[in-house]
Amino acid sequence: MIDLVQLRREPDVVKAALARRGVSSAAVDEVIGLDVEHRRLLQESEAIRGEVKELSRQVGEARRSNDAGRAETLSATSRTRGDAERLAREATESVAAQLRERLLMMPNLPDPRVPEGRDENDNVEVRRWWPGMDGGEPFPEYADHQRVPHWESATALGILDMETGAKLSGSMFALYRGAGARLLRALSMFALDRHSDGYEEIRPPTLALTETMMSTGHLPKSADDMYAVERDDLWAIPTGEVPLTSLRRGEILSESELPFKLTAQTNCFRREAGSAGKDTRGVLRLHEFEKVELFAYCTPEQADEVHADILSRAEGLLRELGLPYRLLDLCTGDLGTASAYTVDLEVYSPGVDKWLEVSSVSWFRDFQARRANVRYRRADGSLALVHTLNGSGLGWSRVWAALIETYRQADGTIRLPAVLDPYFGGDATIR
RNA sequence: GGAGGGAUGACAGAGCGGCCGAAUGUACCGGUCUUGAAAACCGGCGUGGGCUUGCCCACCGUGGGUUCAAAUCCCACUCCCUCCGCCA
């Protein structure tokens, strides 16, 4: 949620920032108008409320001094004012509800460094890495046996069975078998092992309350992309970010515990309502996938450093796995609702000849903290909202595909990078 | 799923229609005393909102209701505890 106080103080700054994301000046004015109206009504109803309280106090006084007549008169006046108060309060609450609704739909202000753009095509590549790059080697050349899509090679090896996945749950649900399933488990273990220095490992529930989904900004705006368990009023989380952001919801943290860093491996559920037919072969886009998330609450001063740390951890994993990747600064048109600044990591996968998004490292400023009401007490005793950041480290289905394609040998076997050997009993080769 | 008990400030815990934003204790902050510390004593000490910055309003799990007036009475819900049932 954007800061209403800032909106009052510098409406033009807010308008200019939101205009970059396509929010019209009129929409912002509407919020401002509702805020003005809300405060006017609030003052009115609070003044009447004050009157009622004062009258009630006097009724009590009159009763105690056995002045029944006076008490009755005062009581009657208070009753009338009480009716007026009810009306004023209802009007106030109605405007407050409208204001809240508009505010919850409003996206975060993009950071100045976010490039201008309409959609994902305008994201700006900031860096590229591949094995041997530092030694001056060119971008890898791939052999024909690596140019095989994973849905062909993995299915042939019996480690991926999309057909049975569809039989169980419908299209875009994967079933991994044998070494394929083990590879997925290995990747989560590998990542969590790497993050264990500094990030507390969490195993959160994957069904969450509406309030929990509201805090990150996934609701109300993206309800169509979420799986709802309506009977119990729960939602399947689209990312570990959801439970982690609410871990300390409503709490006041001490400055000494910041940055407060967490990591969690969870399944992630996405309806992919708006992406019919796009990259749907194999495991490129699934309704359910596994991801290791990195998350932090921190002070505004710590935010840059934490963002860099999360990013470098995500990069580090890809380097250890020997997979080429690139970094993109998301443009204003592709930035997530809650984010102020996001860097995406895309891994190159030779079989499909595509760059695949495997991580999004985002800084939310106090947008989520305001919704989740997570604050910290500063050295001077004052309270301030924390900043939240998160990033995948990493989302596995696409990494899985890139590994299968990149490390496919001429004989059709897959010799996975040596860092995974320990998770395969010493030899990470899939035959 | 059934029966009972509970939810109050950082924590413990009183209050059970009006003088209660809330006793008391602990913790915390400042001061006195002390060579220093401790103890003792004195003072302070929740959050949010509004505006005429001094005041007003809201908040005692959540939502509704009764009343001139609700932490306090009534209803519903959520969560926690105990017991029973069921289950991995």
Side-chain angles (χ1 to χ4, degrees):
Chain A
M1 204 147 64
I2 62 166
D3 183 5
L4 207 45
V5 175
Q6 186 194 8
L7 181 60
R8 278 175 211 151
R9 260 206 290 267
E10 37 191 37
D12 294 339
V13 172
V14 175
K15 277 185 193 175
L18 287 175
R20 300 184 66 211
R21 310 192 57 161
V23 177
S24 72
S25 164
V28 180
D29 279 330
E30 196 184 349
V31 170
I32 294 172
L34 284 168
D35 178 45
V36 169
E37 176 69 357
H38 175 245
R39 280 182 294 159
R40 188 183 69 75
L41 290 167
L42 189 62
Q43 279 179 56
E44 193 179 302
S45 59
E46 285 188 351
I48 304 176
R49 177 96 188 115
E51 275 181 58
V52 172
K53 284 183 76 167
E54 175 57 22
L55 284 163
S56 295
R57 200 186 58 75
Q58 290 175 20
V59 172
E61 229 167 56
R63 283 273 155 73
R64 274 190 300 281
S65 53
N66 289 318
D67 191 345
R70 195 170 109 82
E72 197 37 59
T73 312
L74 286 165
S75 187
T77 313
S78 181
R79 222 180 337 245
T80 313
R81 296 310 287 153
D83 291 341
E85 192 239 328
R86 176 187 296 266
L87 289 174
R89 184 159 41 89
E90 279 168 5
T92 310
E93 276 164 12
S94 148
V95 173
Q98 288 176 55
L99 176 62
R100 186 178 148 72
E101 197 182 306
R102 297 292 195 294
L103 228 36
L104 281 174
M105 293 298 278
M106 200 135 281
N108 200 357
L109 275 46
D111 190 74
R113 78 195 122 154
V114 174
E116 213 69 39
R118 294 174 63 85
D119 54 37
E120 70 270 16
N121 298 310
D122 296 327
N123 294 336
V124 176
E125 182 173 329
V126 291
R127 184 143 37 98
R128 203 176 269 224
W129 180 92
W130 58 85
M133 183 184 86
D134 300 330
E137 287 182 39
F139 194 81
E141 298 277 342
Y142 291 92
D144 285 349
H145 61 260
Q146 293 174 289
R147 294 292 186 186
V148 179
H150 63 278
W151 56 84
E152 288 175 15
S153 55
T155 304
L157 282 168
I159 59 174
L160 177 68
D161 184 352
M162 293 303 292
E163 212 171 298
T164 303
K167 172 176 154 187
L168 303 179
S169 305
S171 68
M172 290 167 74
F173 282 93
L175 181 92
Y176 300 90
R177 314 184 69 131
R182 183 168 194 158
L183 172 54
L184 220 42
R185 173 160 60 91
L187 289 169
S188 283
M189 291 273 284
F190 163 64
L192 290 170
D193 285 349
R194 291 297 184 271
H195 302 325
S196 63
D197 60 322
Y199 288 74
E200 183 190 350
E201 184 172 338
I202 302 291
R203 193 67 188 232
T206 45
L207 293 181
L209 300 172
T210 300
E211 195 184 350
T212 307
M213 297 282 284
M214 282 275 196
S215 295
T216 44
H218 289 96
L219 291 179
K221 205 164 184 173
S222 307
D224 284 349
D225 284 315
M226 309 298 148
Y227 283 100
V229 186
E230 285 183 54
R231 189 169 67 166
D232 296 294
D233 195 23
L234 290 166
W235 302 80
I237 59 168
T239 158
E241 165 196 349
V242 169
L244 296 184
T245 304
S246 281
L247 204 88
R248 308 290 300 270
R249 186 172 65 220
E251 294 185 34
I252 296 169
L253 316 188
S254 68
E255 189 163 9
S256 60
E257 53 183 324
L258 298 175
F260 184 81
K261 296 155 135 183
L262 306 168
T263 182
Q265 188 270 128
T266 71
N267 281 26
C268 302
F269 302 88
R270 301 187 180 179
R271 290 187 69 230
E272 299 292 351
S275 40
K278 234 168 98 183
D279 293 334
T280 52
R281 299 294 306 269
V283 300
L284 296 185
R285 185 175 298 278
L286 298 171
H287 287 311
E288 177 178 357
F289 62 95
E290 284 175 49
K291 181 159 68 66
V292 166
E293 186 76 357
L294 292 158
F295 171 86
Y297 296 116
C298 69
T299 67
E301 295 75 25
Q302 294 164 340
D304 278 340
E305 196 182 317
V306 172
H307 190 271
D309 183 56
I310 294 174
L311 189 57
S312 80
R313 282 171 183 273
E315 286 189 71
L317 296 174
L318 290 174
R319 290 187 186 208
E320 282 199 71
L321 292 171
L323 298 172
Y325 65 87
R326 63 181 187 182
L327 261 55
L328 302 172
D329 267 357
L330 290 200
C331 72
T332 49
D334 200 28
L335 199 63
T337 303
S339 179
Y341 174 61
T342 297
V343 177
D344 267 13
L345 263 84
E346 295 185 341
V347 72
Y348 180 75
S349 202
V352 294
D353 189 25
K354 280 193 167 88
W355 293 93
L356 307 172
E357 181 190 335
V358 292
S359 179
S360 257
V361 183
S362 299
W363 171 45
F364 301 92
R365 227 188 229 109
D366 57 12
F367 186 90
Q368 295 180 324
R370 184 169 293 107
R371 290 176 169 226
N373 193 220
V374 182
R375 292 167 296 174
Y376 71 103
R377 196 171 292 282
R378 288 196 289 219
D380 65 3
S382 66
L383 286 168
L385 291 164
V386 299
H387 278 200
T388 57
L389 298 108
N390 69 54
S392 341
L394 296 157
W396 297 127
S397 70
R398 292 169 182 167
V399 172
W400 190 95
L403 286 168
I404 296 300
E405 295 176 3
T406 303
Y407 291 105
R408 185 159 186 269
Q409 309 299 303
D411 64 359
T413 63
I414 292 157
R415 171 63 247 217
L416 293 165
V419 289
L420 296 177
D421 283 348
Y423 305 100
F424 280 82
D427 177 20
T429 303
I430 302 175
R431 296 171 223 277

